[in-house]
Amino acid sequence: MRPRRARVEDVHELASAMPHVTVEHGVHGNPVYQVGRKSFVFFRTPRPDAVDPQTGERYPDVIMFWVPSEGDKAALVQDPGSPFFTTPHFDGHPSVLLRASRIGELTHQELKELIEDAWLSRASPRRRAAWLAAMGDPPTGRR
């Protein structure tokens, strides 16, 4: 059986299913998923740092995900065929960008792991340990 492709709706479902999550909304109504008042998934509004290289138009559908480290970021953005990207605005920032229009290039499982890692990178040590223990991973587990 083929793995199910990810959808934008999955971002909302998976992010809001993580423990202690609140959803704030930006000035344009864009959802910002937070744990302990720290964002881990953020739907961006069109900005001048993320543009179509052919047309110069701002991407209207960018989602930002925190990642555990710069190494994780580099692994996700180094392949030019990857749907993940970054911009100079995010140099030194542990996050990756993904256009919603390319989310189907990920499987549901890949998106789930991306969101879990984003949550883990922003949650408090106590919340991380509790969630990992509930999932059967020791606090020094896979993340």
Side-chain angles (χ1 to χ4, degrees):
M1 176 180 246
R2 285 174 71 183
R4 182 166 83 68
R5 305 315 300 170
R7 304 168 310 186
V8 173
E9 297 81 18
D10 296 329
V11 175
H12 300 290
E13 291 170 12
L14 293 165
S16 61
M18 296 302 295
H20 308 286
V21 169
T22 58
V23 182
E24 299 294 325
H25 290 88
V27 294
H28 298 286
N30 50 310
V32 179
Y33 291 90
Q34 298 182 337
V35 56
R37 301 181 64 106
K38 294 180 179 179
S39 304
F40 67 99
V41 174
F42 180 84
F43 284 75
R44 294 182 74 208
T45 57
R47 301 200 21 113
D49 66 309
V51 298
D52 184 303
Q54 273 73 42
T55 66
E57 295 290 320
R58 293 178 182 185
Y59 290 141
D61 63 342
V62 176
I63 309 168
M64 184 175 67
F65 299 88
W66 262 259
V67 293
S69 70
E70 284 289 321
D72 291 291
K73 176 181 184 169
L76 290 170
V77 301
Q78 70 185 354
D79 177 2
S82 167
F84 298 104
F85 70 102
T86 190
T87 67
H89 178 77
F90 289 99
D91 284 351
H93 191 272
S95 62
V96 295
L97 305 173
L98 172 70
R99 293 195 62 202
S101 60
R102 295 189 66 186
I103 201 164
E105 295 176 39
L106 303 177
T107 66
H108 183 269
Q109 183 62 34
E110 289 168 332
L111 179 63
K112 181 176 187 273
E113 290 172 9
L114 180 69
I115 290 172
E116 289 173 352
D117 286 346
W119 185 91
L120 285 163
S121 72
R122 303 293 285 167
S124 69
R126 182 180 52 79
R127 287 179 175 163
R128 271 195 312 270
W131 185 79
L132 288 168
M135 300 305 293
D137 285 350
T140 59
R142 59 185 160 83
R143 297 182 199 341

